[in-house]
Amino acid sequence: TMPAVKPQPEFSSGPCKKRPGWSTDVYKTAPTGRSHRSKIGKAKLVEAIEEPRRILNIPADYRIAVVPASDTGAIEMAMWSMLGERPVDMCHWESFGKGWLGDVNSHLKLENTSEFTAPYGELPDLTQTNPDHDIVFTWNGTTSGVCVPNADWISDDRTGLTFNDATSAVFAMDIDWSKVDVTTYSWQKVMGGEGAHGMLILSPRAVERLESYTPEGRALPKIFRMTKKGKLDEALFKGATINTPSMICVEDYLDALQWADSIGGLPGLIARSQANLAEVAAAVDKYPWLNFLAKDEASRSSTSVCLTVDMEAGKLKEMIAWLEAEDVAYDIGAYRDAPDGLRIWCGATVDSADVALLMDWLEFAYEKFSK
């Protein structure tokens, strides 16, 4: 029989569900119509930098900036500004990491690159990367549901820099900051913020690279520039953004950070995401037709949970469309480049009770559409 109760249907992997209890009232305190360089505007931007530092335990000597164009803008400005000084190891196991590889090969046209790759659902052997090379990787593959279980494979004695695209990992997974030199994320994933703004986090070694290396003959657009006269543009890391941010989006992000505090900070956020993954794992154990795309439990994402369904592709599409039409689950189809299946967002803003309800609906929908 059809389940009696529907879950909150927002399971999109970006933009993701707003925090529990969210309403547009959070915008009432936004300094709309004010300059982002005014005293109040600047104070809000500084808060958007320093609150994540506190919640995520980012070291005091790491620089943090709000940058244009979401996580993509943040990772691109880092790659274009810093890569080319030494060979690069590009690690990818899903579409976004593959995109960064494409940029490095086709657009930056770097010659000394090595590729470490694995099919969807698997991780490459990251221990084969060279600590004397720059290493670019995605902490959590948003389109494959595979994450690095830890950063033990990164050498403490590395001479190269590590570039960590952490957009769907940060706030839901524990990141060892000593292992990462460049980290990027956006507001619209685990915290359920709004799109278009990126965060860039630099270790002292990354700053040293920016100040000691200028890529020869490489033009950098204004929105990628982090140095002035060979020195780091410190103002950028103190809330003076390169271009105009949305103060409404900033306010929304500050609200999400306050909510994070109210549930116990990072441990609370991680626990909520893990509880969501546990509900999916219970369903996978229960239903023979439902499987994780991620082969190894240790590298199974707790945020972008990707599943395969023993069902013909056309029928699966119909089932996904029906779940959306019934207001049970929105945007849960696998990413366009990924194998056919489901992708269910299980980040911290999602309640585990809703994931449990969705699993009941999946069982009903499977019976309905697999006949």
Side-chain angles (χ1 to χ4, degrees):
T1 55
M2 189 185 283
V5 183
K6 293 180 182 183
Q8 285 278 324
E10 292 90 4
F11 293 102
S12 153
S13 292
C16 302
K17 182 181 178 290
K18 307 304 279 185
R19 65 154 173 89
W22 179 91
S23 81
T24 52
D25 285 353
V26 307
Y27 299 147
K28 285 179 176 172
T29 45
T32 50
R34 293 295 308 272
S35 167
H36 58 299
R37 306 203 190 280
S38 66
K39 200 173 173 186
I40 184 171
K42 185 89 173 287
K44 297 266 188 191
L45 285 160
V46 168
E47 202 182 330
I49 287 170
E50 293 306 325
E51 283 295 276
R53 183 192 303 281
R54 178 180 62 79
I55 293 168
L56 297 170
N57 306 310
I58 299 169
D61 59 352
Y62 278 45
R63 309 298 211 294
I64 307 174
V66 177
V67 299
S70 201
D71 176 64
T72 301
I75 193 81
E76 293 280 8
M77 74 190 283
M79 293 197 302
W80 284 76
S81 297
M82 293 185 234
L83 290 182
E85 189 258 0
R86 61 182 62 224
V88 185
D89 291 350
M90 299 295 297
C91 310
H92 69 90
W93 48 94
E94 50 88 62
S95 62
F96 285 96
K98 192 177 179 182
W100 311 147
L101 171 78
D103 289 337
V104 162
N105 287 342
S106 308
H107 299 279
L108 286 172
K109 296 186 165 60
L110 299 185
E111 283 164 7
N112 246 333
T113 60
S114 307
E115 187 180 349
F116 297 83
T117 184
Y120 273 84
E122 296 172 43
L123 265 185
D125 182 1
L126 297 170
T127 62
Q128 298 301 305
T129 54
N130 188 330
D132 295 326
H133 293 182
D134 288 339
I135 299 171
V136 180
F137 72 101
T138 309
W139 194 286
N140 181 78
T142 315
T143 65
S144 72
V146 174
C147 62
V148 296
N150 53 56
D152 296 352
W153 54 279
I154 297 171
S155 168
D156 289 328
D157 305 315
R158 65 189 178 279
T159 56
L161 299 178
T162 50
F163 291 70
N164 164 33
D165 170 1
T167 197
S168 55
V170 79
F171 293 107
M173 299 173 194
D174 222 350
I175 290 171
D176 180 348
W177 297 103
S178 72
K179 300 281 192 176
V180 289
D181 297 301
V182 175
T183 299
T184 64
Y185 73 92
S186 61
W187 297 347
Q188 77 265 31
K189 289 281 195 277
V190 178
M191 300 304 285
E194 291 300 303
H197 302 73
M199 298 296 283
L200 177 69
I201 305 167
L202 304 178
S203 75
R205 294 180 65 247
V207 173
E208 185 185 18
R209 170 74 61 87
L210 280 169
E211 294 187 334
S212 64
Y213 171 67
T214 306
E216 205 177 325
R218 189 184 299 165
L220 286 184
K222 179 182 175 178
I223 58 167
F224 281 8
R225 291 177 215 149
M226 291 182 263
T227 57
K228 280 185 177 171
K229 296 178 180 167
K231 284 287 174 202
L232 189 75
D233 181 2
E234 293 284 3
L236 175 58
F237 299 88
K238 294 185 176 120
T241 52
I242 294 172
N243 67 343
T244 312
S246 158
M247 296 315 293
I248 284 181
C249 294
V250 171
E251 200 68 15
D252 186 76
Y253 184 50
L254 296 179
D255 169 76
L257 293 166
Q258 280 176 355
W259 169 76
D261 262 346
S262 77
I263 60 158
L266 185 60
L269 293 164
I270 292 173
R272 281 180 63 91
S273 186
Q274 288 293 334
N276 292 335
L277 174 61
E279 291 292 351
V280 180
V284 169
D285 285 345
K286 188 175 169 186
Y287 307 132
W289 45 267
L290 190 64
N291 291 288
F292 284 106
L293 180 59
K295 307 281 185 291
D296 177 17
E297 192 177 339
S299 56
R300 200 174 280 162
S301 171
S302 66
T303 57
S304 53
V305 179
C306 295
L307 302 164
T308 58
V309 181
D310 296 339
M311 187 186 275
E312 188 267 317
K315 287 277 185 197
L316 181 61
K317 269 204 171 82
E318 283 177 37
M319 181 180 96
I320 292 165
W322 180 81
L323 287 165
E324 180 151 338
E326 289 289 325
D327 297 318
V328 169
Y330 302 150
D331 314 319
I332 62 164
Y335 189 73
R336 59 179 181 262
D337 300 338
D340 291 324
L342 305 174
R343 179 171 63 153
I344 298 166
W345 184 254
C346 286
T349 55
V350 175
D351 285 319
S352 60
D354 288 319
V355 180
L357 287 169
L358 175 59
M359 295 302 110
D360 294 343
W361 278 89
L362 277 185
E363 181 190 22
F364 177 80
Y366 179 80
E367 296 304 330
K368 179 179 167 73
F369 285 88
S370 62
K371 284 193 175 73

